[in-house]
């Protein structure tokens, strides 16, 4: 307990006292059906311990712990205090991976006992069984189960009450033990848990009904078999998903080790790609594909010589051709990874341009896959707003203005508008920062219009001449961003660090032959 904050100690102690108060009536009542309590408690305990006793030559899948159908069957069969007793041994035996293990086990047992007691009273008060104290235990225990399907409504309410009690207690311990902000400690807990607990409630109701049928306990145990299989399938899915994430992390780490200047670039491009996809209203599964494509878009750089990736000066034409092979390298590397799906096409085509001037195949317009068009915009945005070996970062509004200027030539205008709208609404809060120049922009602060004239070209010379676009349109007043370009010591954009000197450096780099902004590198 010493490692826990005082507030957490008090909170857990309060939960233990509440669990003691919930179970005390059953201990004091001579009519408690101890046979049923003991059988259900042992069954729940066995479900929790089965992971520690794998079959010979096999591995028991994770995810079958917290086998709540047994607890909810006890809620439907027993008085509330007796149901709380059933939850104690299995809750205490629940697997823990962090210290202090004993405190966590005590917490789980108390939490589940209180939740079972709350669910039992909900079931009783809604007519699922006679309220405790209004008759004998044998008369009240599960009396409403014979009234199916009418008992399904009290059972659903009891499962919801069980879920609500668990999540309410869980949020409290997160706020006190892990010091999460109170306003966010409960975020998402109930919505993620409600559907699984309703499924567990249905299985528990089936188990309780079969228990009270002429077939008795043997039939009730058969209900657990399909539930076990469903938990096994669910655990398999999560293991496979974890393996996918581990594969992605390994590939990203390999790229980060190759080029220290782009460390974190993949995660930021994935984040910006997801923002664009969300703004476009893509479904969740496709949004995830686009996010993964953004994370892995530069995986082919593993095959590019490190000296070229870290070169400070301009690239020779031969060196550019070598670097321009990285999309094809990346596509070959991930070709056999089936779960990437459309992400493979984005890895191959994220340097194509809508006017057909990109590489590796010179695709144009609708020929370029949608994920590749999304990643191209996200890639260029992060390249312009973070420091590289050949250039310094520029302000986010300037980068957005440059993307808008190049929309229709290098970038899909729909994707550019989606990124501008998303950053304007939500701001830019990069999940991974590689250096001090990665910027965090609050919502509503990234309007590109005020800084459009200050951006250097990311898509070639301006339409009026073969040189870089002029800093100020004729007759226009100088904005703060323009002043930053003209005077490196100037104040820069309001609310952002002065970065005028960096803009000048990037312009010089481009004239020297380095053109990073059509992607992050050539």
């Amino acid at each position: 307990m010493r490692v826990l904050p005082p507030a957490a100690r008090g909170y857990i102690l309060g939960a233990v006292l509440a669990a003691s108060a919930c179970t005390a009536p059953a201990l004091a009542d001579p009519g408690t059906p101890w046979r049923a309590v003991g059988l259900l408690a042992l069954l729940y305990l066995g479900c929790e311990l089965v992971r520690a006793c794998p079959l010979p030559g096999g591995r028991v899948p994770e995810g079958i712990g917290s086998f709540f159908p047994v607890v909810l069957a006890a809620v439907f069969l027993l008085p509330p205090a007796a149901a709380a007793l059933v939850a104690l041994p299995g809750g205490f035996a629940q697997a823990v991976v962090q210290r202090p293990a004993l405190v966590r086990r005590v917490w789980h047992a108390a939490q589940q006992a209180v939740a079972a007691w709350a669910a039992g009273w909900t079931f009783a008060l809604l007519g699922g069984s006679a309220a405790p104290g209004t008759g004998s235990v044998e008369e009240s225990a599960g009396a409403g189960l014979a009234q199916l399907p009418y008992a399904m409504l009290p059972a659903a309410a009891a499962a919801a009450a069980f879920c609500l009690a668990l999540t309410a207690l869980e949020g409290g311990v997160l706020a006190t033990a892990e010091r999460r902000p109170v306003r966010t400690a409960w975020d998402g807990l109930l919505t993620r848990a409600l559907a699984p607990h309703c499924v567990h409630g249905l299985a528990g109701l089936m188990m309780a009904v079969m228990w009270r049928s002429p077939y008795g306990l043997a039939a009730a145990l058969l209900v657990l078999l399909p539930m076990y299989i469903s938990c096994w399938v669910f655990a398999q899915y999560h293991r496979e998903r974890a393996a996918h994430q581990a594969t992605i992390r390994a590939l990203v780490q390999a790229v980060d080790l190759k080029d220290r200047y782009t460390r974190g670039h993949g995660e930021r491009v994935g984040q910006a790609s997801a923002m664009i996809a969300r703004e476009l209203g893509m479904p969740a599964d496709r949004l995830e594909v686009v996010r993964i494509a953004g994370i892995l878009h530069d995986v082919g750089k593993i095959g590019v010589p490190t000296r070229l990736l870290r070169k400070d000066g301009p690239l020779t034409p031969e060196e550019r051709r070598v670097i321009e092979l990285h999309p094809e390298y990346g596509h070959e590397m991930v070709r056999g990874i089936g779960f990437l799906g459309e992400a493979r096409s984005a890895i191959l085509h994220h340097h194509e341009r809508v006017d057909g001037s990109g590489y590796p195949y010179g695709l144009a317009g609708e020929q370029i896959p949608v994920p590749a068009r999304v990643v191209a915009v996200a890639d260029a945005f992060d390249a312009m707003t973070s420091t590289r070996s050949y250039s310094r970062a520029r302000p986010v509004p300037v980068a957005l203005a440059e993307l808008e200027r190049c929309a229709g030539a290098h970038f899909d205008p729909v994707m550019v508008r989606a990124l501008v709208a998303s950053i304007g609404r939500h701001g830019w809060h990069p999940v991974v920062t590689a250096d001090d120049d990665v910027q965090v922009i609050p919502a509503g602060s990234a309007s590109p219009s005020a800084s459009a004239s200050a951006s250097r070209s990311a898509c070639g010379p301006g339409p009026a001449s073969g040189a870089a676009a002029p800093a100020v349109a004729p007759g226009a007043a100088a904005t703060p961003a323009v002043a930053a370009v003209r005077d490196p010591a100037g104040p820069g954009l309001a609310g952002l660090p002065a970065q005028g000197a960096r803009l000048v450096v990037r312009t010089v780099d481009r004239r020297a032959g380095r053109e990073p902004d059509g992607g992050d590198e050539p």
Side-chain angles (χ1 to χ4, degrees), residues 150-473:
Y150 304 105
M152 293 186 68
L153 180 59
F162 185 78
C163 176
L164 183 61
L166 283 178
T167 54
L169 291 169
E170 186 71 19
V173 83
L174 290 176
T176 56
E178 298 187 10
R179 295 186 174 93
R180 294 193 187 180
V182 173
R183 57 188 175 82
T184 62
W186 285 269
D187 285 354
L189 290 179
L190 183 60
T191 54
R192 288 195 301 267
L194 187 57
H197 282 87
C198 287
V199 174
H200 286 182
L202 178 60
L205 179 62
M206 294 170 59
M207 185 176 176
V209 170
M210 296 303 294
W211 188 301
R212 289 184 58 81
S213 74
Y215 303 101
L217 176 61
L221 292 177
L222 290 177
V223 175
L224 294 180
L225 180 60
M227 195 68 190
Y228 177 92
I229 294 174
S230 67
C231 287
W232 183 85
V233 172
F234 191 67
Q236 289 288 95
Y237 165 76
H238 275 283
R239 269 204 303 277
E240 183 178 354
R241 184 179 177 85
H244 294 171
Q245 297 297 329
T247 301
I248 293 170
R249 282 195 302 271
L251 291 171
V252 170
Q253 287 171 0
V255 177
D256 287 348
L257 290 172
K258 184 88 172 180
D259 186 1
R260 64 179 182 273
Y261 283 104
T262 59
R263 190 164 299 153
H265 170 65
E267 285 86 347
R268 294 193 299 272
V269 173
Q271 180 184 4
S273 298
M275 293 173 69
I276 295 172
R278 191 174 294 110
E279 191 71 24
L280 294 175
M282 290 186 182
D285 55 345
R286 201 173 191 204
L287 186 150
E288 180 66 9
V289 168
V290 170
R291 186 185 71 85
I292 292 173
I295 292 174
L296 293 180
H297 72 285
D298 274 344
V299 68
K301 287 183 178 177
I302 295 174
V304 175
T306 305
R307 62 179 179 81
L308 298 184
L309 296 177
R310 298 186 181 184
K311 185 175 180 180
D312 292 331
L315 297 172
T316 66
E318 292 77 12
E319 290 171 337
R320 289 184 64 87
R321 281 193 291 272
V322 172
I323 290 184
E324 287 176 359
L325 292 173
H326 79 268
E328 295 174 277
Y329 290 161
H331 184 259
E332 286 299 315
M333 290 174 62
V334 303
R335 175 179 287 180
I337 305 178
F339 73 86
L340 291 179
E342 278 188 300
R344 295 193 295 269
S345 66
I347 293 171
L348 179 61
H349 297 297
H350 70 278
H351 279 297
E352 305 283 4
R353 295 173 173 174
V354 295
D355 62 2
S357 64
Y359 62 88
Y361 300 131
L363 302 184
E366 297 296 324
Q367 294 176 324
I368 306 172
V370 171
R373 282 180 265 158
V374 173
V375 173
V377 172
D379 187 20
F381 171 74
D382 186 67
M384 288 188 283
T385 55
S386 56
T387 293
R388 299 301 171 85
S389 62
Y390 48 81
S391 59
R392 302 294 291 174
R394 69 172 74 182
V396 167
V398 174
L400 294 177
E402 182 66 8
L403 290 174
E404 289 188 324
R405 193 182 78 79
C406 297
H410 286 187
F411 308 117
D412 188 330
V414 175
M415 310 306 174
V416 173
R417 287 195 295 269
L419 180 63
V420 172
S422 183
I423 291 179
R425 183 178 298 112
H426 305 294
W428 175 238
H429 306 275
V431 291
V432 177
T433 56
D435 51 65
D436 294 337
D437 293 309
V438 177
Q439 303 157 57
V440 177
I441 301 297
S445 302
S447 174
S449 58
S451 306
S453 59
S455 60
R456 70 167 173 84
S457 175
C459 53
S465 69
V472 187

Side-chain angles (χ1 to χ4, degrees), residues 12 15-20 22-23 44 48 66 68 71 83-96 101-117 162 166 169-170:
I12 294 173
V16 171
L17 293 176
S20 301
C22 292
T23 57
Y44 183 39
E48 289 293 343
S66 302
F68 292 140
V71 179
L85 277 176
V86 170
L88 287 176
F92 186 82
Q94 187 172 333
V96 294
L102 179 60
V103 174
R104 290 178 182 273
R105 292 181 186 279
V106 170
W107 159 251
H108 289 154
Q111 179 191 27
Q112 293 178 28
V114 172
W117 180 86
F162 185 78
L166 283 178
L169 291 169
E170 186 71 19

